[in-house]
Amino acid sequence: MTMVSEAVIAALREALGDRAVLSGADIPDRNRQDWSTLSAVLPLAVVRPNDPAGVAAAMRIAAAHGVPVVPQGGLTGLAGGARPIDGAIALSLERLTGIEEIDRDSSTMTVRAGTTLETIQKAAEDAGLYCALDLGARGSCAIGGNVSTNAGGNRVLRYGMAREMVLGLEVVLPDGTLVTSLNKMLKNNAGYDLKQLFIGSEGTLGIITRIVLRLFPRPQCTMAALCGLPSYDAVLALLASARGSLGPLLSAFEVMWPDYWDVATRKVAGVRDPLTSAHPFYVLVEAQGNKDSDIEGFESWLESQVEAEVISDAAVAQSLADVKAFWGTRDAAADFKLILGPHNSYDIGLAVADMDRYAESCRARLARDIPGCVSFFYGHIADGNMHIIACVPDAVPQPYDAIDAIVYDEVRRFHGTVSAEHGIGLKKKPYLPFSRTPEELALMKVIKQALDPNALLNPGKVL
């Protein structure tokens, strides 16, 4: 350990206490990597402040010693954004948890950045309100990470990305300045909307410490159906009809290709196929309403789509337990590692009309160019987001770089984005120019230089 390393650790312990600073063999394995396929790295230290002032103090100390800092939340990211780098401090928000306020009149919740999404969802429900952000890692992911990556999830179609649910932020800048802007107002045009700099910036411009979330009225009824469809044209027809007939009630439209469906319903424990036969496409449609007539309208719409032969077969949820079971077919992706072993997960964006052509082309290239490679396609689709799982079963090591190159080259060919909701981190950094122009990248670098001239905050990530 160098003199600088010893000095910065000593200063951190003096400012925050011994319990808040871990080094050497005391650093937990969980802080050495995130959920990406990148290898683990031992950081210089793990710092765990329990309040925003502590985060600011830690950042000031690190800046004074010229030591880089990598923010960490729930560590559920798949792009390597929270993975430590050699010689850096991992600043974990695991102790910065708790719900500070629920304001029913403003329909807002003020939370600390390390709070899990599931905790926030339950607190909103207990208050008679609704947190619309939802994703499969809800029990592990931290809201600060959700906001710093502009998470999307299951109900973007109705409520938008995380960005649309954030009214105010508190952030620590790379020099340790604490900027508090815990706005609760939907309308606030007093100068630049500074929070937008930090939402989706993956901890490269500031460390989010507190958030004001916009809450919504709690739906009184949730309708869902799992449908088998004969073609991708039928998928597009069903989506258009759902948008027109269900309107603002439509909350999710999830599409699963047969390769994904077969693994999810036949091999993942606890997941079952509610349909009676196999189909070329499977669609989970969800709508949220407030009265019995909404349920009747949903069922009438489904019947019309069956009569029009858009839907070949359908199972309709009769209870919230059924709704949860239907969503289990989508959440099953988290358990594919138990069946396939190590694999890579991809999160891309495409024009909705191109998605099946992309899947066909990508699947064929992977199988042709990488012997033994299997791939599985599914996703939110209606919001332009497709997910892919790919690997060579039992291969050691996995040919991740070769798979990446094909998946992202196909994205470029179809004029899509290499990241719809998971961020860039380290893993997608080489492919960011596939989705951004040189002028856009140059502007991003100007912003980074302005806020973090010494490149101390999450260096090497994104840009």
Side-chain angles (χ1 to χ4, degrees):
M1 187 177 293
T2 67
M3 292 180 62
V4 171
S5 301
E6 292 175 351
V8 72
I9 291 174
L12 288 166
R13 284 181 170 146
E14 181 177 355
L16 303 176
D18 290 343
R19 183 169 176 264
V21 183
L22 306 175
S23 62
D26 293 331
I27 294 176
D29 288 343
R30 71 179 297 273
N31 295 105
R32 304 182 189 198
Q33 61 187 140
D34 55 13
W35 283 8
S36 71
T37 58
L38 297 171
S39 59
V41 174
L42 181 67
L44 173 64
V46 173
V47 180
R48 305 179 302 166
N50 62 8
D51 59 22
V55 177
M59 194 68 233
R60 282 195 300 272
I61 292 167
H65 289 83
V67 175
V69 171
V70 177
Q72 294 185 337
L75 293 163
T76 59
L78 299 174
R83 174 183 179 260
I85 60 173
D86 288 328
I89 294 166
L91 197 152
S92 173
L93 302 176
E94 62 194 88
R95 297 172 65 205
L96 188 65
T97 61
I99 295 163
E100 296 190 349
E101 181 193 54
I102 296 177
D103 184 337
R104 291 176 176 83
D105 294 327
S106 296
S107 291
T108 63
M109 179 189 295
T110 304
V111 299
R112 293 185 166 199
T115 310
T116 65
L117 177 59
E118 189 171 56
T119 298
I120 291 166
Q121 291 173 332
K122 289 179 178 178
E125 183 176 359
D126 290 344
L129 295 166
Y130 183 62
C131 172
L133 184 64
D134 185 50
L135 36 141
R138 63 187 70 84
S140 303
C141 63
I143 189 63
N146 298 152
V147 173
S148 71
T149 56
N150 188 29
N154 298 331
R155 296 185 175 91
V156 169
L157 187 60
R158 177 166 177 175
Y159 298 99
M161 302 282 281
R163 187 182 304 279
E164 280 71 49
M165 303 177 205
V166 176
L167 295 177
L169 282 184
E170 179 180 75
V171 297
V172 173
L173 300 182
D175 65 358
T177 300
L178 183 64
V179 180
T180 302
S181 182
L182 297 176
N183 168 70
K184 292 184 180 180
M185 295 168 282
L186 282 174
K187 295 181 177 180
N188 187 347
N189 278 338
Y192 300 143
D193 191 359
L194 296 175
K195 69 177 181 290
Q196 303 299 348
L197 283 171
F198 306 101
I199 301 172
S201 68
E202 301 182 49
T204 62
L205 303 179
I207 303 172
I208 296 171
T209 53
R210 290 193 290 171
I211 303 153
V212 179
L213 292 171
R214 180 185 181 188
L215 302 179
F216 297 86
R218 186 171 65 186
Q220 298 304 304
C221 56
T222 299
M223 298 78 73
L226 261 173
C227 309
L229 276 71
S231 66
Y232 193 70
D233 284 342
V235 171
L236 296 178
L238 185 66
L239 175 59
S241 178
R243 284 172 167 158
S245 297
L246 302 178
L249 300 183
L250 181 63
S251 54
F253 190 93
E254 305 286 320
V255 180
M256 293 158 276
W257 276 252
D259 44 27
Y260 171 88
W261 182 261
D262 289 347
V263 175
T265 59
R266 296 181 183 180
K267 298 183 179 180
V268 175
V271 179
R272 67 178 184 85
D273 184 346
L275 302 178
T276 57
S277 59
H279 301 277
F281 289 91
Y282 300 87
V283 177
L284 168 59
V285 184
E286 183 195 79
Q288 295 175 328
N290 292 306
K291 49 189 184 297
D292 290 343
S293 60
D294 292 333
I295 299 174
E296 295 167 1
F298 180 78
E299 293 176 347
S300 175
W301 168 75
L302 276 176
E303 289 173 4
S304 74
Q305 297 305 292
V306 172
E307 291 172 0
E309 299 183 347
V310 173
I311 296 174
S312 302
D313 189 15
V316 182
Q318 302 299 315
S319 65
L320 288 177
D322 285 346
V323 174
K324 184 177 180 180
F326 287 0
W327 274 105
T329 62
R330 273 289 284 107
D331 290 344
D335 291 325
F336 271 41
K337 60 182 178 292
L338 302 176
I339 298 154
L340 301 174
H343 62 263
N344 228 353
S345 297
Y346 298 89
D347 153 54
I348 65 168
L350 298 163
V352 176
D354 290 338
M355 288 194 172
D356 188 43
R357 290 193 299 118
Y358 172 90
E360 289 181 356
S361 181
C362 186
R363 183 190 299 111
R365 279 190 65 184
L366 289 170
R368 182 189 69 222
D369 297 347
I370 304 175
C373 186
V374 295
S375 53
F376 310 89
F377 297 80
Y378 65 106
H380 310 300
I381 307 305
D383 57 25
N385 184 193
M386 172 185 280
H387 295 301
I388 307 160
I389 291 171
C391 67
V392 177
D394 302 323
V396 180
Q398 285 286 321
Y400 291 133
D401 291 345
I403 298 173
D404 290 352
I406 291 173
V407 168
Y408 295 131
D409 185 59
E410 286 292 305
V411 169
R412 176 169 57 177
R413 194 167 72 84
F414 279 87
H415 308 290
T417 174
V418 298
S419 180
E421 58 182 356
H422 290 174
I424 298 299
L426 284 171
K427 285 186 63 63
K428 300 181 188 178
K429 182 177 175 180
Y431 301 101
L432 184 56
F434 286 16
S435 302
R436 293 293 195 180
T437 66
E439 293 78 13
E440 288 176 310
L441 294 171
L443 182 56
M444 292 180 198
K445 290 175 181 177
V446 168
I447 296 170
K448 173 69 172 176
Q449 175 66 22
L451 290 179
D452 188 11
N454 297 315
L456 292 178
L457 193 51
N458 219 4
K461 311 293 176 65
V462 184
L463 295 171

